[in-house]
Amino acid sequence: MKKFDLEYNLLNDMYNDGYFPDFLVDKVKLLIQDVISFLETGERDLEKIQNKFDEMTEAINELQEEFEENDSEIETGARESIGETIEYILKWFDIDIDTEDAIASREW
């Protein structure tokens, strides 16, 4: 089973932007790491993988209010950082799902 690239910094742009509180970026990162752990099991069923991405995306959606309470929001910079991270994960694991489809249930 393929392990994820330990050299890759998840959500690097969000961590480097003071607009996004690190403790909230950490919450997004944990949700993404859960998907990575799932993919590291060797799962290849695209429907199951999409369902896992949907769960992650919906959980990120639920963080929007907490971002707003901390004078931040999941906006363009965050959207791009999350999208780049998901795109990298999909390519790393050779998953044939488009990035936009993987996070289609997003509200950000």
Side-chain angles (χ1 to χ4, degrees):
M1 285 177 254
K2 188 173 186 177
K3 294 292 182 188
F4 187 65
D5 181 1
L6 296 176
E7 304 280 318
Y8 186 79
N9 294 314
L10 301 171
L11 306 171
N12 194 47
D13 290 341
M14 287 182 77
Y15 279 113
N16 288 330
D17 188 333
Y19 180 66
F20 306 109
D22 283 352
F23 81 97
L24 289 174
V25 181
D26 289 343
K27 289 182 179 190
V28 175
K29 182 178 178 180
L30 282 172
L31 295 168
I32 292 171
Q33 287 173 321
D34 184 52
V35 173
I36 290 170
S37 295
F38 178 74
L39 294 173
E40 286 178 334
T41 68
E43 182 62 64
R44 300 303 299 167
D45 183 307
L46 293 181
E47 185 175 332
K48 290 179 182 177
I49 293 169
Q50 182 61 58
N51 287 339
K52 194 69 174 171
F53 275 107
D54 289 343
E55 288 174 18
M56 174 206 74
T57 305
E58 289 162 16
I60 293 171
N61 289 344
E62 292 176 17
L63 293 173
Q64 288 186 103
E65 188 174 313
E66 196 170 352
F67 270 88
E68 290 171 9
E69 290 168 358
N70 287 277
D71 299 319
S72 184
E73 62 181 301
I74 303 176
E75 44 73 75
T76 304
R79 193 169 37 249
E80 289 175 0
S81 184
I82 294 167
E84 287 172 10
T85 296
I86 299 307
E87 181 177 15
Y88 188 88
I89 292 166
L90 290 167
K91 285 182 181 175
W92 179 264
F93 287 104
D94 194 30
I95 304 295
D96 190 24
I97 297 175
D98 182 74
T99 303
E100 289 299 314
D101 292 334
I103 56 176
S105 61
R106 74 181 185 275
E107 297 172 356
W108 26 272

